[in-house]
Amino acid sequence: MTENDKRPSMVIGYWMSDRKSQKLNWIEFGKVCRQHGYELVKLDLDKPLENQGPFAVILHKLTEIIARNDEKAIQIIDRIERYIKDHPKVLIIDPLDSVRTLLDRYKTYNVVLNTTLNNIDVFTPTFVEILSTNVKDNIKKLKNAGVTFPFICKPFVAQGTTYCHQMSVIFNERGVADCKPPCVAQSFINHNAILYKLYVVGDHYQMVERPSLKNFYASNDDRDTITFDSHSVSKSDSSSELSVLDPSERAKRSSIDPIKLHSIVKTLGSYLNMSLYGVDVVVENDTNRHAIIDINAYPGYDGFPDFFGKLIDCVKSRRAQSVCSKAYFEDSGFDTSDSSDEKKSRAKLNSINQYN
């Protein structure tokens, strides 16, 4: 009897970086899995998955590898996708093409733009992609897209790189020269330095309040661009001077609407086809409109109560849904073959990496 034969029928194959697994205390999740009839096994990405399964579920945070897009990373992802294609009954949390969408900020904002959330005053601030270093062309592009000063300049790739959190606040046309393409320019929304992070695990979510950038206003030509690391500004224990409101603004406070938060999670889950993601929301001063300014695959989940319990609930629920859905399509005669635009996504990532 081989080692694989000794395993229970329901195995969760997982992969995340050692740093991530230590931060989440992943050993404890293994205990939770066993209580629910699953065994948790870490994938060896340098070896064929066929020899490591069979798996009922693959749970992953492959953002760093997908974003790397070098020869070895491409081989790893190809190996995983071949396994997924050959084993259509294996549940993937989350689908790789969905994760790729969230790695591309421009594509992510377009997803939000195309939802029905605007009907309840939930929006994504005006944005445009910047691919050129030609300042005059970029100024024209910003105006045509309706992006206003100040705006935030964000790297195209949202996760998995050393530079994905390096951003700039640009106040005027002179500052447009500080854009580092490929990037996304997004109008800045004044929100009294309060960021609401929504951590989503399947049908469960938790809101955590974090510090954010203070209010900024357009400037003619006398204010220099501000560069910052978004992680440093918005950690729970951050004390950045960029988060300190002016004395006249300290009495103001935005009002978060729990009904809108529920709608955001319910809507984005279906549009993104994701189970594990985080949404950054700010509330616009004066209007109280809720703005989605970023979405991330598999966030840190700091401050999420009973994360492991909710995660195993998500696995069991999604697996039940997947079994029912696949049975329906098989009985109906629908073609369930892969229809992702993988080649296009890979080509775009490759072009982005050439700039960095």
Side-chain angles (χ1 to χ4, degrees), residues 149-274:
F149 293 106
F151 65 81
I152 303 289
C153 192
K154 305 179 180 183
F156 234 112
V157 180
Q159 289 176 269
T161 69
T162 57
Y163 57 85
C164 61
H165 301 291
Q166 300 298 316
M167 304 183 184
S168 302
V169 184
I170 294 176
F171 295 93
N172 44 54
E173 290 189 357
R174 180 171 63 89
V176 174
D178 298 321
C179 290
K180 296 180 179 179
C183 58
V184 179
Q186 185 181 56
S187 295
F188 180 74
I189 301 296
N190 280 330
H191 53 280
N192 293 324
I194 301 174
L195 173 67
Y196 300 97
K197 298 187 79 70
L198 283 175
Y199 293 136
V200 183
V201 182
D203 298 323
H204 305 280
Y205 66 93
Q206 178 74 25
M207 185 196 75
V208 177
E209 186 176 317
R210 293 285 176 80
S212 184
L213 292 175
K214 65 182 181 179
N215 299 327
F216 290 118
Y217 304 93
S219 174
N220 292 328
D221 287 311
D222 58 344
R223 185 155 194 181
D224 293 333
T225 296
I226 295 174
T227 59
F228 66 98
D229 185 305
S230 61
H231 261 184
S232 299
V233 171
S234 295
K235 287 184 179 179
S236 57
D237 57 351
S238 295
S239 57
S240 171
E241 62 180 13
L242 294 176
S243 299
V244 180
L245 290 172
D246 295 337
S248 62
E249 297 175 317
R250 289 176 185 170
K252 300 178 182 179
R253 185 173 176 85
S254 57
S255 177
I256 196 75
D257 185 339
I259 296 177
K260 289 182 179 179
L261 296 186
H262 180 77
S263 295
I264 288 171
V265 173
K266 185 176 180 180
T267 301
L268 289 181
S270 60
Y271 273 84
L272 294 170
N273 190 26
M274 295 281 291

Side-chain angles (χ1 to χ4, degrees), residues 76-116:
I76 289 171
I77 297 302
D78 282 347
R79 192 179 302 129
I80 293 171
E81 293 198 313
R82 282 198 302 271
Y83 182 86
I84 293 171
K85 184 177 180 180
D86 292 341
H87 299 81
K89 292 185 179 180
V90 178
L91 173 65
I92 310 301
I93 301 179
D94 277 310
L96 296 186
D97 54 349
S98 298
V99 173
R100 287 188 183 92
T101 294
L102 294 190
L103 284 179
D104 183 329
R105 280 193 169 100
Y106 183 72
K107 187 180 292 186
T108 299
Y109 298 151
N110 273 297
V111 169
V112 179
L113 194 64
N114 291 320
T115 69
T116 58

Side-chain angles (χ1 to χ4, degrees), residues 46-92:
D46 294 322
K47 298 179 180 178
L49 298 189
E50 290 285 357
N51 301 330
Q52 302 177 54
F55 302 109
V57 181
I58 292 179
L59 177 66
H60 70 89
K61 183 175 173 65
L62 290 165
T63 49
E64 296 174 15
I65 295 176
I66 295 172
R68 244 173 49 202
N69 204 43
D70 56 26
E71 183 177 353
K72 183 177 181 181
I74 291 172
Q75 291 175 353
I76 289 171
I77 297 302
D78 282 347
R79 192 179 302 129
I80 293 171
E81 293 198 313
R82 282 198 302 271
Y83 182 86
I84 293 171
K85 184 177 180 180
D86 292 341
H87 299 81
K89 292 185 179 180
V90 178
L91 173 65
I92 310 301

